[in-house]
Amino acid sequence: DIGDGLDTSRPKCYILDMFPYPSGAGLHVGHPLGYTATDILSRFKRMKGFNVLHPMGWDAFGLPAEQYAIQTGTHPKTTTARNIDRFRIQLKSLGFSYDWDREISTTEPAYYKWTQWIFLQLLKRGLAYQ
C-alpha cells in the first residue's frame, strides 16, 4: 500500500518537474540541468523532515512524438514506449530521487481520459475554443 509506513504528522512537500517529451533517442543536457535543482530541493526537504512527493512522468503526445515516428518509420506507440524506457534508464543512472512508484504517462488512457473530460467541461461552458 502506498501509505504504509508514512508518518502523516510530518509536513508535506510536492515537487513537480516538467515532464520530458520522450520523442527522441535520449536525454539531452537540458534535461538534467533543469532536474538537478528540484532534486536538490527534494533532498533538502527530506532532510528537514518533510514527506516529499517528487514524481516523474512522460508528456508523450503531440507533434514531437509524431515527427520522431516519421523520422524512424515506426508507429508512435512503439517509439514512445521504447523512448520512455530509455529515458527512465538514463534518469535513474543520474541518481535523481524521483518517486518511481508514482510514475505518470500522458499516453495512458487512465490519464488522458481525465484531461479529455476536463476539456469537454470547459468546451461546454464556452471556455475552450479553436
Side-chain angles (χ1 to χ4, degrees):
D1 190 270
I2 291 175
D4 286 350
L6 185 65
D7 182 355
T8 57
S9 68
R10 294 168 48 188
K12 300 174 196 168
C13 183
Y14 179 50
I15 299 175
L16 183 63
D17 284 300
M18 183 171 65
F19 296 157
Y21 297 107
S23 57
L27 296 175
H28 59 75
V29 71
H31 288 108
L33 178 66
Y35 299 149
T36 299
T38 55
D39 188 64
I40 291 168
L41 183 59
S42 296
R43 292 170 189 270
F44 175 77
K45 289 291 191 176
R46 282 188 198 100
M47 289 189 303
K48 292 292 187 180
F50 283 75
N51 285 324
V52 176
L53 173 57
H54 188 206
M56 177 46 76
W58 318 104
D59 192 2
F61 274 142
L63 192 56
E66 293 169 9
Q67 289 300 315
Y68 185 78
I70 290 168
Q71 290 171 356
T72 61
T74 311
H75 192 282
K77 182 175 182 174
T78 304
T79 57
T80 298
R82 183 173 53 230
N83 291 344
I84 286 173
D85 289 342
R86 183 177 301 114
F87 275 53
R88 185 184 306 108
I89 288 167
Q90 290 175 325
L91 283 171
K92 284 183 175 184
S93 74
L94 292 169
F96 291 128
S97 62
Y98 292 115
D99 184 352
W100 288 105
D101 292 335
R102 304 233 176 111
E103 184 177 347
I104 300 165
S105 178
T106 62
T107 63
E108 296 297 323
Y111 177 89
Y112 66 74
K113 80 173 188 179
W114 292 111
T115 59
Q116 290 176 347
W117 180 85
I118 290 167
F119 175 79
L120 290 174
Q121 303 314 303
L122 294 170
L123 185 64
K124 288 177 190 175
R125 290 165 179 78
L127 298 171
Y129 55 89
Q130 185 174 1

